[in-house]
Amino acid sequence: MASHRRPKQPSRTRVTVLTATAAAAVALSSQAAHADPSQSKKDVKSEVDKLYNEAEQATEKYNGVKEQQNKLQKEVDDLQDKVARGQGDLNQLRKGLGAIASGQYRSGSIDPSVQLFLSGNPDTYLEKAATLDQLSGKQAEQLKTIADKQRQLAQERAEAASKIQDLSETRKSLGDKKDEIKGKLAKAQELLNTLTAKERAAMQAADDRANRSNDRVNLGDDLPASQRGAAALSAAQSKIGSPYVWGATGPSSFDCSGLTSWAYAQAGQSLPRTSQEQANAGSRIYSESGLKPGDLVLFYGDLHHIGLYAGNGTVLHAPKPGAAVRYESINNMPFQFGVRV
């Protein structure tokens, strides 16, 4: 039988707690609704800048691994070409020895040493000094040459296999770095998408103003560090407005070290690919007052950002994703030292 008992009424204490909780929730919602929107925008910008900075750190590591991959690929290609040429030489030597064996066979007196070589591996046989006594001088010389070539070929094949393994591991590392960069840039975009259209427009306007400020920069009248430094700076200045793209080395887009290496290449000077390696491309200048136009300028403790000193406390660089090659105050980033190439 169903119960017709009246439901138990909540106690006065329970009602009070529930009412207080609801009131607190309403108050918090109201507070959140009236939170300072500029503070939210500031926090998002700060986090986005942090992610862009981390993406650039990963980019310089990517550039280093990419350079290593290119070097390994060339070594592998060279070794494989060498192995192919060696195999061709070995085949010619075998062919010559085969001709001797054919002649001996027709005369019914094929040398057992030659027979052994042609049937498989003569190396162990040649290790026995007595064997050489059984051969004519010409045959002994040919057999030794072939055995030496076989050993050399085996060594080159082993070296090529090792380099190919290194190349495979390097490619995996390159893929990991690429994923890390894309992940950070995607996260930055997600954060930007949380802003209103008006807030995003304001942030874009600030970047646009920074890009347009190139026309108003006073570079002073300092003499360049060198004719080569002047040429590199001039080349970089011709790329003002070009977009930052991670891993790019020009001529239409750049990352930070891509711009500096491209600029110096136009001046006839080859630079290493990464900012950390470029830090060792010349003599270091630890005082900002000692910098001259055309000097490289390194930023951050791990040296993951680099630009060209343009004069009057200004650096020309490829700043970050979403920004163009432009001038900026050297004080906008933690200066470490300059490098006179």
Side-chain angles (χ1 to χ4, degrees):
M1 175 186 277
S3 172
H4 297 285
R5 199 177 290 176
R6 292 174 60 190
K8 186 178 179 182
Q9 297 297 317
S11 67
R12 182 180 297 275
T13 303
R14 187 164 174 244
V15 169
T16 304
V17 170
L18 288 172
T19 305
T21 303
V26 170
L28 286 172
S29 299
S30 176
Q31 187 177 2
H34 293 89
D36 182 3
S38 64
Q39 184 64 32
S40 172
K41 176 184 166 184
K42 181 180 177 182
D43 290 344
V44 168
K45 184 180 184 308
S46 175
E47 184 62 23
V48 166
D49 287 344
K50 178 173 175 287
L51 285 165
Y52 280 161
N53 191 42
E54 290 172 356
E56 190 176 39
Q57 284 178 292
T59 294
E60 285 306 294
K61 290 176 183 175
Y62 169 90
N63 291 338
V65 175
K66 179 72 172 173
E67 189 175 40
Q68 184 184 2
Q69 177 190 255
N70 293 341
K71 181 182 176 185
L72 279 170
Q73 185 65 65
K74 185 178 185 310
E75 289 176 357
V76 166
D77 292 344
D78 289 347
L79 278 168
Q80 288 178 331
D81 286 345
K82 197 173 180 182
V83 166
R85 288 194 301 272
Q87 186 63 56
D89 293 343
L90 182 60
N91 292 342
Q92 284 298 112
L93 289 168
R94 283 178 176 276
K95 187 176 178 181
L97 190 63
I100 294 174
S102 296
Q104 291 178 347
Y105 179 77
R106 282 194 295 272
S107 66
S109 60
I110 185 167
D111 192 285
S113 299
V114 175
Q115 188 175 17
L116 175 64
F117 176 80
L118 293 173
S119 65
N121 179 15
D123 215 14
T124 55
Y125 196 72
L126 286 170
E127 288 173 0
K128 301 176 182 178
T131 304
L132 296 178
D133 295 336
Q134 299 174 23
L135 306 174
S136 69
K138 185 177 181 182
Q139 288 175 341
E141 185 180 343
Q142 284 180 310
L143 279 173
K144 188 175 186 310
T145 300
I146 291 174
D148 288 344
K149 177 60 78 174
Q150 280 184 318
R151 280 192 290 268
Q152 181 186 350
L153 206 54
Q155 183 178 347
E156 287 168 356
R157 283 195 175 113
E159 189 179 351
S162 175
K163 291 289 183 187
I164 288 170
Q165 177 63 31
D166 290 344
L167 184 58
S168 175
E169 292 170 2
T170 301
R171 281 177 176 156
K172 183 182 182 307
S173 177
L174 197 65
D176 292 343
K177 289 296 171 200
K178 187 182 288 188
D179 290 343
E180 181 182 355
I181 294 164
K182 287 182 175 179
K184 289 185 183 299
L185 295 179
K187 190 173 179 183
Q189 189 58 54
E190 285 176 13
L191 282 169
L192 288 171
N193 290 342
T194 65
L195 298 175
T196 65
K198 185 176 180 181
E199 288 170 337
R200 287 198 298 274
M203 286 181 68
Q204 185 59 53
D207 253 341
D208 291 344
R209 283 194 300 274
N211 290 335
R212 288 196 302 271
S213 68
N214 293 295
D215 300 331
R216 303 188 300 275
V217 169
N218 175 15
L219 300 179
D221 54 3
D222 290 345
L223 293 175
S226 65
Q227 186 175 355
R228 186 166 288 168
L233 178 59
S234 176
Q237 286 169 328
S238 74
K239 294 301 176 179
I240 288 174
S242 298
Y244 177 102
V245 174
W246 65 270
T249 57
S252 56
S253 58
F254 305 88
D255 61 21
C256 68
S257 56
L259 175 66
T260 50
S261 59
W262 180 87
Y264 263 93
Q266 309 318 298
Q269 175 67 50
S270 175
L271 289 184
R273 176 62 182 93
T274 68
S275 57
Q276 291 90 347
E277 290 174 314
Q278 290 178 22
N280 299 314
S283 55
R284 294 187 178 185
I285 301 111
Y286 288 95
S287 168
E288 290 183 32
S289 61
L291 294 172
K292 293 286 187 183
D295 287 338
L296 299 173
V297 191
L298 279 300
F299 298 95
Y300 300 96
D302 63 352
L303 311 180
H304 72 261
H305 191 73
I306 193 168
L308 287 159
Y309 188 69
N312 198 28
T314 302
V315 64
L316 178 59
H317 67 148
K320 61 180 182 179
V325 173
R326 67 192 186 201
Y327 295 113
E328 259 185 83
S329 169
I330 198 172
N331 298 317
N332 286 358
M333 296 162 286
F335 169 78
Q336 301 301 306
F337 53 83
V339 173
R340 189 154 298 155
V341 178

